[in-house]
């Protein structure tokens, strides 16, 4: 069986992969909006977990260390104007939980990225590093949880808005072929 690493080259390709495979974040997780404007900032994706708590999701393919600061600005704006996020939650089954979770998904989270994130002290943060592989014609998106030093959404959020603790999982997905490239995995 040949396994190929799939290189995600653009933010839009990563956005499509995460949107199509939102269950890799947590069971029952779904994406409610993309490129959402929140105050003077924007977030790549807005999701809703199985407990109807919104999540602001930042995606990164380049290792941009300013992402935590932009997310902190968007988070603060969401707290000031909750309707900017809640209006997207038409698919919620019940009352939408608040405050929102914050999720970072990147190919690699550097030590300086994690340090910046820790200094911001955002509540309910989850960090994941992604990998995409192709085997037998199927592309799989993998998310590996990274300890970020911030409070995880699954750790100590009050029960009314507690998000499920999620581990790395694999979901098969069709990939947008025009925005990703495939390379042979080293040693295979």
């Amino acid at each position: 069986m040949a396994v190929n690493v799939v290189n995600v080259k653009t933010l839009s390709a990563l956005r499509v992969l995460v949107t199509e495979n939102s269950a890799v974040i947590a069971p029952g997780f779904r994406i409610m909006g993309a490129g959402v404007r929140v105050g003077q900032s924007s977030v790549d994706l807005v999701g809703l977990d199985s407990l109807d708590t919104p999540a602001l999701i930042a995606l990164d393919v380049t290792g941009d260390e300013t992402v935590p600061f932009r997310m902190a600005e968007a988070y603060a704006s969401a707290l000031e104007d909750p309707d900017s996020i809640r209006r997207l939650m038409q698919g919620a089954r019940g009352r939408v939980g608040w405050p929102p979770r914050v999720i970072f998904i990147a190919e690699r989270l550097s030590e300086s990225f994690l340090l910046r994130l820790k200094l911001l002290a955002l509540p309910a943060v989850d960090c994941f590093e992604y990998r995409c592989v192709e085997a037998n014609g199927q592309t799989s998106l993998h998310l590996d949880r990274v300890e970020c030093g911030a409070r995880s959404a699954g750790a100590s959020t009050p029960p009314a808005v507690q998000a499920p603790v999620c581990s790395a999982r694999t979901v098969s997905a069709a990939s947008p072929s025009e925005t990703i490239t495939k390379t042979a995995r080293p040693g295979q």
Side-chain angles (χ1 to χ4, degrees):
M1 171 171 78
V3 176
N4 295 319
V5 174
V6 178
N7 294 319
V8 180
K9 290 188 166 192
T10 66
L11 189 59
S12 62
L14 181 57
R15 187 179 292 138
V16 168
L17 285 168
V18 172
T19 299
E20 290 177 352
N21 300 285
S22 59
V24 299
I25 297 170
F29 195 93
R30 56 205 188 278
I31 301 299
M32 307 303 284
V36 177
R37 197 88 177 131
V38 185
Q40 297 298 314
S41 193
S42 65
V43 293
D44 297 308
L45 296 169
V46 173
L48 193 62
D49 71 17
S50 63
L51 298 173
D52 289 338
T53 299
L56 308 178
I57 304 170
L59 305 174
D60 184 32
V61 293
T62 62
D64 184 353
E65 294 179 359
T66 65
V67 171
F69 298 116
R70 290 196 315 256
M71 181 57 84
E73 183 179 333
Y75 183 82
S77 294
L79 292 179
E80 288 176 12
D81 181 16
D83 290 336
S84 65
I85 300 300
R86 287 184 173 150
R87 72 173 183 267
L88 299 171
M89 304 300 137
Q90 305 300 328
R93 293 175 291 274
R95 186 170 172 249
V96 174
W98 201 256
R101 308 168 50 179
V102 174
I103 299 173
F104 294 95
I105 300 174
E107 185 171 21
R108 186 178 145 330
L109 296 169
S110 69
E111 289 300 319
S112 60
F113 179 100
L114 296 173
L115 178 60
R116 286 179 170 95
L117 183 57
K118 189 184 292 187
L119 293 172
L120 290 173
L122 292 168
V125 176
D126 289 300
C127 295
F128 298 98
E129 290 182 341
Y130 71 85
R131 292 177 294 119
C132 294
V133 295
E134 183 182 86
N136 298 327
Q138 294 291 320
T139 301
S140 296
L141 176 65
H142 301 261
L143 293 182
D144 298 315
R145 182 178 293 280
V146 174
E147 178 56 44
C148 59
R151 190 175 80 184
S152 171
S156 54
T157 305
V161 295
Q162 183 174 1
V165 175
C166 44
S167 59
R169 48 181 68 77
T170 303
V171 174
S172 295
S175 60
S177 60
E178 71 280 356
T179 57
I180 58 177
T181 60
K182 298 169 187 149
T183 57
R185 186 175 183 177
Q188 300 230 348

